[in-house]
Amino acid sequence: MTILEPEPGAQRPVHKFGGSSLADAACFHRVAGIIHKLQQPEALIVVSAPGKTTNRLIELLSLFASGDSAAPEALAGLHVFQRNLIASSLSADDAAPLLAALEDDIVTIAKVLEHDRLDDYQRALIQSYGEVWSSRLLARVLCSQGMSAHSLDARSFLRVSGTPVQVQEEESRRRLAGILAEHPQQILVVTGFIAADDQGRTRLLGRNGSDFSATLLGALADSSHTTIWSDVPGVFSADPRRIPEAHLLKRLALPEAAELARLGSPVLHSRTLGPVAASRQQLMLRCSYHPDDGHTRIERRPRREQGARIVTAVDDTVLVEMTISDRYQERVDALTGWLDKRGLPPLACKRLPERKLWQIAYTREQAEQAFLVLRDHQPAGGFEGLQQREGFSLVALVGKNVTSQAEQCLQFYHALNELPLEFIQPAKNGLSLVGVVRKTALDPLLLRLHQSLFSRPRRVGVLLFGRGNIGKAWLRLYKEQKARLEQELNLRLTLYGVFDSRGAMLASQGLEADTVLNDFQPHSVVWPDWLEDLEEHGFDAMVALDCTASASLVQYYPAMVQQRIHLIAANKQAGAANLEYYRALKQILAEHRVRFLSNATVGAGLPVQSSLHQLRQSGEQIRAVSGVFSGTLSWLFQYFDGSQPFSELLLQAWQQGLTEPDPRDDLNGQDVKRKLVILAREAGFDLDPSQVKVASLVPDDLATLSKEDALDNLHLMDEVLAGRLAKAQQQGGVLRHVARFNAETNAASVGLEVVPANHPFVPLRPGDNVFAIETRHYRQNPMVIQGPGAGREVTAAAMQADLWQLLAGL
């Protein structure tokens, strides 16, 4: 369908509640509670008839048509049910006008049934009452609970024509816009399933018409969200009543949802999805009985991962068969399209040219209708020998490009070949693989397929950036831990690529850690061309580990995120970047549902960031973070007691490899500043690096020298630091290089401080980091985390822990 351009500013969300959600008085009150909790005063609520009311109305019409004397009794039963439903849902005063309206409706139905024969419009009129009764009752229940609600008959705006019905979109939108303008800040409870033609006659929207009504209303009202509430929370990997291990799919791509609907899913219906595809609304499926049990969101964005996601079945399938002569064989595809236009898309088709036979699979519900339509079309269609064959079942796999997944196709063929197989047909769009078998108990087959498909190890590709000290340490750890990680998390890890400053080694079949460590032979790569070539990598997920300190690599983080590559970093450049870049990175991570873990950036293997996360999740408010964040500066000021000049101590640390190649990079406080910015952001605050006051220990006349000259002139620091040490000793204190962030004043600083001799920052092992976290409950006695905060092994271990956490959450 084509949806016209939306009216600007229209935002009203749509919620649809089916008959099972409105089965009795308790259900009506449960639904009212859900609507109240939503806090959406302009919501549009689409309702089906209560419980089995529509079935009872159809039964009434059937009894009338057959002249059965039980018809009046059936009408009386309907009357009693609706009257009791109203009386048990409302107080006597609130119920009175609805009971009076119900009496009028029953009289009207009885008068219509006095006709000798009913035309289609009269039959539609009688079937429409179920939705009208639901709309009136739910609107009144909402009002009784203090909400402003109004019952709206869809026939007042929804105009249709033709057979099958076609929506007159422009006219329907115009009428709806006027009604919405008359009811600002008011909940409208709209009848599903029904519409009207230009003469005002009732028309029905057909099977599952209320779901279609909801998404259609969402499109016409330019709603941002439509939620369909039923007795299940959404789409599962299989029918959970048959396969207890089936899991709820939190997200489902729209093409996959459409294919599942085409294959007869009871949860989704093809026409329901049409308005979703043609508008901006987001569709969500939820359970009205257990609203907190999760949901399925239908998304327009296609999944990156390929392969089956759902095993589905139709137990009772009918084959409509015909023979087509050679000269009419080219008409087969056109005939399929002809059936689609009449609302009868086949579940599957199979051509047998050698027998001139064409088989079409339908649900039992649609088979009879399809047979009658084809029978009337037989002279023009060029086929003969039309017949129906019963006693079949259908099994299908649904997922993006499932038909090109060799392993899954093989499992499917093997499983079905053990049964009396009629045919297997891959869908042309690649979204499903369908098998039709002689009717049998399907549960064992479904269980076997589900276990073989969804219990297989997830394939994860790993990219490593950096073959320095940390990268090599991680490679050794990866080699040692790979088998255990794969076994415990049911994964198959592949080291897909390793990069250093010279280039990269890439191998889709995987690289051995020993090869990368001992025989690394990189090829040059061009950024970002290699990344674009990675788009069809074939893994279920991809993870990149950044063991560098490269600012230029961080600039490619957004491009990697767009490729759905998860990030694990020891590189501080991203987490401590300017606030504009950091916010943009967080936004694109959220949009693409990609994770970014960086516990190795601060404290190496110490649980600093994870402790901040746990405190925040527990409801704590972080008030301050402080500590000694540099292992180098911790070591220096642990030993600096005046017995030797500071420059000699610094030179010893440099010679032992305890400092950066240029020790000024430790002394200027920039690395500590980055760590402080990262922790403040992890604590929930938007701290920009420019807000941190840094007191560098490097004098100006030393900062401008070359590295070699600076190493020869370290004594330029001695006089100032000796004076600061003497002053600290006079005060009975100790010198420590401290980073501080105060959330209440938004003040952040890095520099040398005098702390009392009994302060937690004093009794450190040389090289240790210490972190103090103050919260509402940890104020007088802060949470203190202490230990080695640097080193290749502990940093690599922190990255491995992040990798484990990320993979466990996939």
Side-chain angles (χ1 to χ4, degrees):
M1 64 181 298
T2 303
I3 296 295
L4 300 178
E5 286 299 313
E7 295 290 336
Q11 299 287 334
R12 302 179 75 148
V14 176
H15 297 268
K16 184 264 177 179
F17 293 92
S20 60
S21 297
L22 300 168
D24 53 32
C27 289
F28 271 84
H29 283 276
R30 184 186 300 113
V31 167
I34 290 172
I35 296 170
H36 177 74
K37 191 174 181 179
L38 291 172
Q39 294 294 301
Q40 295 173 348
E42 287 193 317
L44 304 175
I45 311 297
V46 177
V47 291
S48 296
K52 301 294 184 181
T53 298
T54 299
N55 290 343
R56 298 176 73 172
L57 287 166
I58 293 173
E59 181 184 2
L60 172 65
L61 289 168
S62 178
L63 291 171
F64 167 79
S66 63
D68 196 311
S69 59
E73 183 179 342
L75 180 58
L78 260 174
H79 187 190
V80 170
F81 172 77
Q82 295 298 326
R83 189 173 59 209
N84 290 341
L85 181 59
I86 294 169
S88 56
S89 301
L90 298 168
S91 67
D93 288 343
D94 286 329
L98 267 65
L99 291 171
L102 176 63
E103 297 295 332
D104 292 342
D105 293 340
I106 297 299
V107 171
T108 300
I109 293 173
K111 286 183 177 179
V112 172
L113 292 177
E114 291 175 358
H115 293 79
D116 290 336
R117 292 188 62 184
L118 302 183
D119 60 27
D120 289 342
Y121 304 110
Q122 291 170 318
R123 296 175 64 87
L125 173 64
I126 290 178
Q127 291 183 59
S128 73
Y129 277 102
E131 277 66 25
V132 172
W133 293 334
S134 268
S135 173
R136 287 180 192 161
L137 179 55
L138 183 57
R140 181 62 64 177
V141 170
L142 293 175
C143 290
S144 71
Q145 295 187 10
M147 290 173 270
S148 178
H150 176 74
S151 173
L152 177 62
D153 192 321
R155 289 171 291 194
S156 63
F157 68 88
L158 190 54
R159 287 290 176 266
V160 298
S161 60
T163 303
V165 295
Q166 298 294 318
V167 178
Q168 298 178 11
E169 296 161 16
E170 185 173 1
E171 177 65 13
S172 298
R173 182 184 291 276
R174 185 188 64 79
R175 287 172 174 267
L176 178 61
I179 293 171
L180 296 182
E182 293 173 2
H183 296 275
Q185 295 294 304
Q186 188 171 40
I187 296 169
L188 296 180
V189 184
V190 187
T191 56
F193 183 54
I194 59 176
D197 61 17
D198 290 336
Q199 287 75 47
R201 296 173 299 193
T202 300
R203 301 293 304 274
L204 304 180
L205 298 180
R207 177 175 176 264
N208 306 114
S210 291
D211 285 358
F212 176 51
S213 297
T215 56
L216 176 60
L217 179 61
L220 295 175
D222 187 31
S223 299
S224 55
H225 292 81
T226 296
T227 304
I228 295 179
W229 299 80
S230 65
D231 54 0
V232 294
V235 178
F236 285 78
S237 57
D239 187 341
R241 296 168 298 182
R242 311 176 78 158
I243 311 297
E245 296 84 1
H247 57 272
L248 180 67
L249 302 178
K250 294 183 178 180
R251 294 176 174 85
L252 188 65
L254 186 57
E256 293 172 320
E259 187 69 3
L260 184 64
R262 188 187 67 79
L263 291 172
S265 168
V267 180
L268 282 168
H269 311 290
S270 297
R271 286 194 309 154
T272 303
L273 298 173
V276 177
S279 66
R280 68 170 188 142
Q281 63 186 303
Q282 297 292 319
L283 179 62
M284 188 181 294
L285 311 177
R286 297 185 68 178
C287 177
S288 62
Y289 288 87
H290 304 285
D292 299 324
D293 276 4
H295 62 268
T296 297
R297 186 186 301 276
I298 309 299
E299 298 186 330
R300 290 179 181 80
R301 182 169 51 221
R303 287 190 313 119
R304 180 183 184 83
E305 298 81 6
Q306 303 188 48
R309 301 191 74 197
I310 302 162
V311 178
T312 188
V314 178
D315 288 86
D316 194 6
T317 302
V318 177
L319 290 182
V320 178
E321 295 184 342
M322 64 197 76
T323 55
I324 303 179
S325 62
D326 291 339
R327 61 177 180 156
Y328 289 115
Q329 284 293 324
E330 70 278 2
R331 295 190 183 182
V332 170
D333 290 339
L335 190 56
T336 304
W338 184 85
L339 288 166
D340 286 345
K341 290 179 180 179
R342 281 150 184 79
L344 295 167
L347 301 179
C349 302
K350 183 67 174 180
R351 294 172 63 182
L352 302 172
E354 69 281 1
R355 294 169 53 192
K356 300 181 177 54
L357 182 68
W358 192 38
Q359 297 174 303
I360 317 173
Y362 279 108
T363 63
R364 176 172 291 277
E365 182 180 5
Q366 287 194 301
E368 184 63 31
Q369 185 181 357
F371 180 82
L372 294 174
V373 168
L374 286 167
R375 186 187 63 188
D376 294 340
H377 185 62
Q378 190 164 341
F383 54 85
E384 57 189 18
L386 187 67
Q387 65 172 331
Q388 294 185 72
R389 291 175 60 202
E390 300 182 354
F392 295 92
S393 297
L394 178 146
V395 179
L397 305 183
V398 178
K400 179 182 177 182
N401 290 339
V402 63
T403 57
S404 61
Q405 305 300 303
E407 181 181 345
Q408 293 184 346
C409 290
L410 187 62
Q411 290 172 338
F412 188 74
Y413 277 80
H414 280 172
L416 266 65
N417 267 328
E418 297 177 4
L419 299 174
L421 178 65
E422 189 71 16
F423 65 80
I424 291 178
Q425 184 66 34
K428 290 182 178 179
N429 58 16
L431 288 168
S432 68
L433 188 62
V434 178
V436 176
V437 298
R438 282 286 181 182
K439 200 166 188 178
T440 184
L442 290 181
D443 286 8
L445 171 64
L446 297 176
L447 179 61
R448 176 182 171 185
L449 283 171
H450 192 272
Q451 289 178 339
S452 64
L453 291 168
F454 304 125
S455 296
R456 69 168 177 81
R458 290 178 65 85
R459 301 180 300 273
V460 179
V462 179
L463 299 170
L464 173 65
F465 293 92
R467 284 182 64 256
N469 290 334
I470 297 172
K472 290 179 178 178
W474 179 82
L475 280 167
R476 290 189 289 269
L477 193 59
Y478 169 79
K479 176 185 174 183
E480 175 187 321
Q481 295 289 321
K482 180 175 182 287
R484 177 184 165 212
L485 194 153
E486 288 180 327
Q487 180 179 2
E488 295 194 15
L489 298 182
N490 192 29
L491 299 165
R492 189 166 70 217
L493 287 177
T494 300
L495 184 58
Y496 179 80
V498 178
F499 296 73
D500 70 2
S501 58
R502 296 172 296 163
M505 287 182 70
L506 296 168
S508 58
Q509 73 275 13
L511 297 166
E512 294 295 329
D514 285 338
T515 301
V516 178
L517 286 167
N518 305 317
D519 189 24
F520 189 67
Q521 299 180 14
H523 300 282
S524 62
V525 294
V526 178
W527 288 77
D529 293 355
W530 77 269
L531 192 56
E532 295 173 358
D533 295 339
L534 196 67
E535 185 170 351
E536 297 298 333
H537 53 65
F539 295 103
D540 296 315
M542 182 76 83
V543 182
L545 282 73
D546 182 0
C547 297
T548 75
S550 169
S552 59
L553 177 58
V554 166
Q555 298 306 310
Y556 289 102
Y557 276 15
M560 285 193 274
V561 171
Q562 288 179 335
Q563 296 282 9
R564 299 288 181 88
I565 299 175
H566 301 281
L567 300 171
I568 295 173
N571 188 343
K572 305 177 187 68
Q573 298 289 343
N578 65 74
L579 202 52
E580 181 181 1
Y581 171 88
Y582 181 75
R583 285 172 172 167
L585 178 62
K586 297 291 280 188
Q587 177 67 26
I588 195 173
L589 285 165
E591 288 174 353
H592 290 80
R593 301 188 300 279
V594 169
R595 299 192 65 188
F596 173 41
L597 300 181
S598 59
N599 286 297
T601 57
V602 181
L606 296 176
V608 185
Q609 296 183 50
S610 59
S611 296
L612 288 171
H613 295 161
Q614 186 172 349
L615 287 168
R616 293 184 65 195
Q617 289 166 1
S618 69
E620 286 281 8
Q621 296 177 346
I622 309 297
R623 293 184 170 177
V625 179
S626 60
V628 176
F629 293 1
S630 167
T632 301
L633 294 170
S634 170
W635 188 93
L636 287 168
F637 287 101
Q638 197 72 25
Y639 285 118
F640 183 47
D641 57 5
S643 60
Q644 60 180 321
F646 184 81
S647 59
E648 293 183 9
L649 193 63
L650 178 59
L651 196 57
Q652 292 175 28
W654 178 75
Q655 291 169 342
Q656 295 176 36
L658 300 178
T659 72
E660 293 294 328
D662 187 337
R664 291 175 297 180
D665 292 339
D666 294 296
L667 300 174
N668 62 20
Q670 293 303 310
D671 188 59
V672 172
K673 178 180 79 170
R674 284 190 283 268
K675 294 178 181 179
L676 183 62
V677 170
I678 290 170
L679 290 186
R681 289 172 173 175
E682 294 293 340
F685 302 96
D686 284 342
L687 181 65
D688 191 82
S690 63
Q691 297 174 269
V692 183
K693 296 180 179 179
V694 179
S696 173
L697 298 180
V698 182
D700 292 342
D701 49 359
L702 189 63
T704 58
L705 300 177
S706 67
K707 172 187 169 183
E708 290 73 19
D709 289 343
L711 288 172
D712 292 336
N713 289 277
L714 294 179
H715 63 275
L716 296 174
M717 307 173 63
D718 289 343
E719 182 178 350
V720 172
L721 287 172
R724 297 191 68 170
L725 176 63
K727 187 175 181 180
Q729 291 172 338
Q730 291 172 4
Q731 297 174 0
V734 176
L735 282 179
R736 290 290 181 267
H737 190 270
V738 178
R740 295 187 183 276
F741 171 70
N742 188 310
E744 296 176 343
T745 61
N746 206 38
S749 63
V750 171
L752 204 57
E753 293 185 9
V754 178
V755 298
N758 62 350
H759 195 278
F761 296 170
V762 174
L764 303 180
R765 291 172 180 260
D768 269 7
N769 282 188
V770 61
F771 302 86
I773 303 171
E774 298 178 30
T775 70
R776 182 176 54 184
H777 295 116
Y778 290 89
R779 184 132 199 184
Q780 299 302 321
N781 188 19
M783 176 184 289
V784 176
I785 301 169
Q786 179 182 334
R792 66 192 70 175
E793 281 78 17
V794 289
T795 303
M799 298 198 72
Q800 181 71 4
D802 275 355
L803 178 62
W804 191 290
Q805 179 187 345
L806 189 150
L807 295 177
L810 288 178

Short mmCIF file of all heavy atoms in Angstrom, two decimals, residues 48 97 118 173 287 313 349 490 592 650-651:
data_model
loop_
_atom_site.label_atom_id
_atom_site.label_comp_id
_atom_site.label_asym_id
_atom_site.label_seq_id
_atom_site.Cartn_x
_atom_site.Cartn_y
_atom_site.Cartn_z
N SER A 48 -10.18 -5.50 19.73
CA SER A 48 -10.96 -6.57 19.11
C SER A 48 -12.19 -6.83 19.95
O SER A 48 -12.36 -6.27 21.04
CB SER A 48 -10.12 -7.85 19.03
OG SER A 48 -9.00 -7.67 18.19
N PRO A 97 -25.57 3.39 31.16
CA PRO A 97 -25.69 3.80 29.75
C PRO A 97 -25.21 2.72 28.78
O PRO A 97 -25.76 2.57 27.68
CB PRO A 97 -24.81 5.05 29.66
CG PRO A 97 -23.91 5.01 30.84
CD PRO A 97 -24.67 4.30 31.92
N LEU A 118 -29.75 -12.46 4.19
CA LEU A 118 -28.88 -11.32 4.53
C LEU A 118 -27.84 -11.13 3.43
O LEU A 118 -27.25 -12.11 2.94
CB LEU A 118 -28.16 -11.56 5.86
CG LEU A 118 -29.04 -11.80 7.09
CD1 LEU A 118 -28.16 -11.94 8.32
CD2 LEU A 118 -30.05 -10.68 7.29
N ARG A 173 -7.42 9.55 5.89
CA ARG A 173 -6.51 10.41 6.64
C ARG A 173 -7.16 11.77 6.95
O ARG A 173 -7.03 12.30 8.06
CB ARG A 173 -5.21 10.62 5.84
CG ARG A 173 -4.18 11.48 6.57
CD ARG A 173 -2.97 11.73 5.68
NE ARG A 173 -2.22 10.52 5.47
CZ ARG A 173 -1.30 10.06 6.31
NH1 ARG A 173 -1.07 10.70 7.42
NH2 ARG A 173 -0.64 8.96 6.03
N CYS A 287 2.97 -8.88 25.60
CA CYS A 287 1.96 -9.72 26.24
C CYS A 287 1.19 -8.91 27.28
O CYS A 287 1.80 -8.36 28.20
CB CYS A 287 2.62 -10.93 26.89
SG CYS A 287 1.48 -12.00 27.79
N ALA A 313 5.96 -24.07 11.69
CA ALA A 313 5.25 -25.21 11.10
C ALA A 313 3.77 -24.89 10.95
O ALA A 313 3.21 -24.07 11.69
CB ALA A 313 5.42 -26.46 11.97
N CYS A 349 5.27 -23.27 -3.37
CA CYS A 349 4.87 -23.79 -4.68
C CYS A 349 5.96 -24.72 -5.20
O CYS A 349 7.14 -24.52 -4.93
CB CYS A 349 4.68 -22.66 -5.70
SG CYS A 349 3.47 -21.43 -5.23
N ASN A 490 29.99 -21.75 24.37
CA ASN A 490 29.45 -22.33 23.14
C ASN A 490 29.73 -21.42 21.94
O ASN A 490 28.84 -20.99 21.22
CB ASN A 490 27.94 -22.59 23.27
CG ASN A 490 27.41 -23.45 22.14
OD1 ASN A 490 28.13 -24.28 21.59
ND2 ASN A 490 26.15 -23.26 21.78
N HIS A 592 23.56 1.30 16.76
CA HIS A 592 23.92 0.04 16.09
C HIS A 592 23.98 -1.12 17.07
O HIS A 592 24.34 -2.24 16.66
CB HIS A 592 25.26 0.19 15.36
CG HIS A 592 25.18 1.07 14.15
ND1 HIS A 592 25.20 2.45 14.22
CD2 HIS A 592 25.05 0.77 12.83
CE1 HIS A 592 25.11 2.95 13.00
NE2 HIS A 592 25.02 1.97 12.14
N LEU A 650 64.45 9.18 39.24
CA LEU A 650 63.74 9.09 37.96
C LEU A 650 64.58 8.36 36.93
O LEU A 650 64.07 7.55 36.15
CB LEU A 650 63.40 10.51 37.47
CG LEU A 650 62.70 10.61 36.11
CD1 LEU A 650 61.38 9.86 36.12
CD2 LEU A 650 62.45 12.08 35.75
N LEU A 651 65.89 8.61 36.93
CA LEU A 651 66.77 7.94 35.98
C LEU A 651 66.82 6.43 36.24
O LEU A 651 66.84 5.63 35.30
CB LEU A 651 68.18 8.54 36.06
CG LEU A 651 69.13 8.23 34.88
CD1 LEU A 651 68.52 8.70 33.56
CD2 LEU A 651 70.49 8.88 35.11
#
